[in-house]
């Protein structure tokens, strides 16, 4: 049984509940560890149309609330303070300041932007973007993941094939090509060598393609490289907390994994599942 969910959001960004309500869902699910990991404020020049509030204002409020819950130590899951940091290599100083600003238990690293392009925006994957360009983006994405791991700023690479969101069929075809091997191996090698964990995420199961993040081919390479994993629901609503973790456990076990990683004050702890 998976006992920790490290990836949960609140209404500070585009979730539907506050931290306490999300925690209550973790308690109802029988979790032992519950990580709140709100999106970090984006630097000037970057934006996300999904965010309903101003994270420069809302994130400090979120962090204060999670710290209060963490210190209260009420019965139920132990609370962990996390942050989902957008990897934007042109803004390294900005990212370092964010990571140092609060006493995080861990920082999740996500690649929502690639060379300034929003990876998740439907408009950036229209028919005018040919397969050659799409394949080049996929490769660049994994070289950036390697750089993110080597930066030392994050403990976990989350939804590690998020780039398939708007181009699932092309991404699946790219994975089958010999030329995908080099960028994928660069990423998993960097994760293994730096001790950066890889998230196995339920979020993909809620998409039309109904496949966890990451795809089986990437899970296989990660297991062969000795990359540790953690589990996350990427819940933005109470109903998605720790669901469907039974499927995630079976998925990870199919690649030989028997335990996962959590972080307390940025120090790792191993949990069997």
């Amino acid at each position: 049984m998976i006992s920790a969910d490290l990836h949960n959001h609140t209404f500070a960004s585009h979730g539907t509940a506050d931290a306490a309500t999300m925690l209550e869902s973790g308690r109802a699910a029988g979790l032992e560890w519950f990580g709140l990991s709100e999106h970090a404020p984006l630097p000037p020049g970057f934006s996300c149309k999904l965010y309903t509030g101003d994270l420069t204002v809302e994130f400090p409020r979120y962090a204060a609330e999670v710290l209060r819950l963490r210190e209260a130590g009420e019965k139920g899951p132990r609370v962990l303070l996390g942050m989902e940091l957008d990897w934007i290599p042109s803004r390294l100083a900005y990212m370092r300041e964010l990571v140092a600003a609060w006493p995080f238990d861990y920082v999740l690293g996500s690649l929502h932007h690639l060379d300034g392009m929003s990876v998740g925006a439907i408009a950036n994957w229209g028919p005018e973007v040919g397969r050659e360009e799409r394949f080049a983006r996929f490769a660049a994405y994994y070289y950036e993941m390697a750089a993110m791991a080597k930066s030392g700023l994050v403990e976990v690479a989350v939804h590690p094939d998020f780039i398939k969101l708007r181009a699932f069929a092309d991404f699946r075809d790219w994975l089958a090509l010999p030329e995908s091997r080099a960028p994928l191996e660069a990423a998993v090698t960097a994760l293994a060598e730096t001790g950066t964990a890889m998230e196995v995420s339920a979020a993909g199961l809620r998409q039309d393609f109904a496949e966890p993040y990451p795809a089986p081919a990437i899970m296989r390479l990660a297991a062969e490289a000795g990359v540790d994993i953690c589990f996350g629901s990427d819940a933005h609503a109470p109903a998605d907390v720790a669901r469907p973790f039974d499927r995630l456990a079976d998925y990870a076990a199919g690649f030989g994994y028997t335990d996962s990683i959590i972080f307390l004050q940025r120090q790792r702890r191993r949990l069997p599942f």
Side-chain angles (χ1 to χ4, degrees), residues 58-80:
E58 297 299 332
F59 192 91
R61 295 173 180 169
Y62 148 83
E65 174 64 4
V66 177
L67 288 172
R68 185 191 68 77
L69 292 170
R70 188 175 75 175
E71 292 164 6
E74 297 176 2
K75 182 180 179 181
R78 183 165 173 182
V79 176
L80 303 173

Side-chain angles (χ1 to χ4, degrees), residues 92-234:
L92 277 173
Y94 180 86
M95 291 189 291
R96 290 192 184 104
E97 289 177 3
L98 282 176
V99 171
W102 289 275
F104 295 112
D105 287 298
Y106 60 92
V107 176
L108 308 179
S110 62
L111 283 84
H112 290 130
H113 299 88
L114 186 64
D115 294 330
M117 178 198 75
S118 174
V119 170
I122 296 175
N124 292 328
W125 297 93
E128 71 280 3
V129 182
R131 279 167 65 89
E132 184 176 351
E133 171 60 23
R134 293 177 181 219
F135 288 3
R137 289 178 181 181
F138 300 152
Y141 181 89
Y142 286 98
Y143 286 123
E144 283 300 336
M145 187 176 294
M148 180 177 74
K150 293 174 183 178
S151 74
L153 290 174
V154 307
E155 277 69 47
V156 184
V158 295
H159 37 61
D161 53 355
F162 178 73
I163 198 164
K164 72 186 177 188
L165 178 63
R166 305 301 182 188
F168 180 75
D170 287 326
F171 184 76
R172 182 183 55 200
D173 291 346
W174 178 76
L175 285 178
L177 296 175
E179 50 262 42
S180 71
R181 186 88 181 189
L184 290 171
E185 287 188 342
V188 298
T189 298
L191 294 173
E193 290 180 348
T194 61
T196 306
M198 181 184 75
E199 180 188 49
V200 180
S201 170
L205 294 171
R206 300 194 293 271
Q207 300 297 330
D208 289 343
F209 48 75
E211 177 182 85
Y213 296 116
I218 301 169
M219 285 290 291
R220 190 173 301 110
L221 283 176
E224 291 171 356
V227 177
D228 287 324
I229 61 169
C230 71
F231 292 107
S233 61
D234 199 356

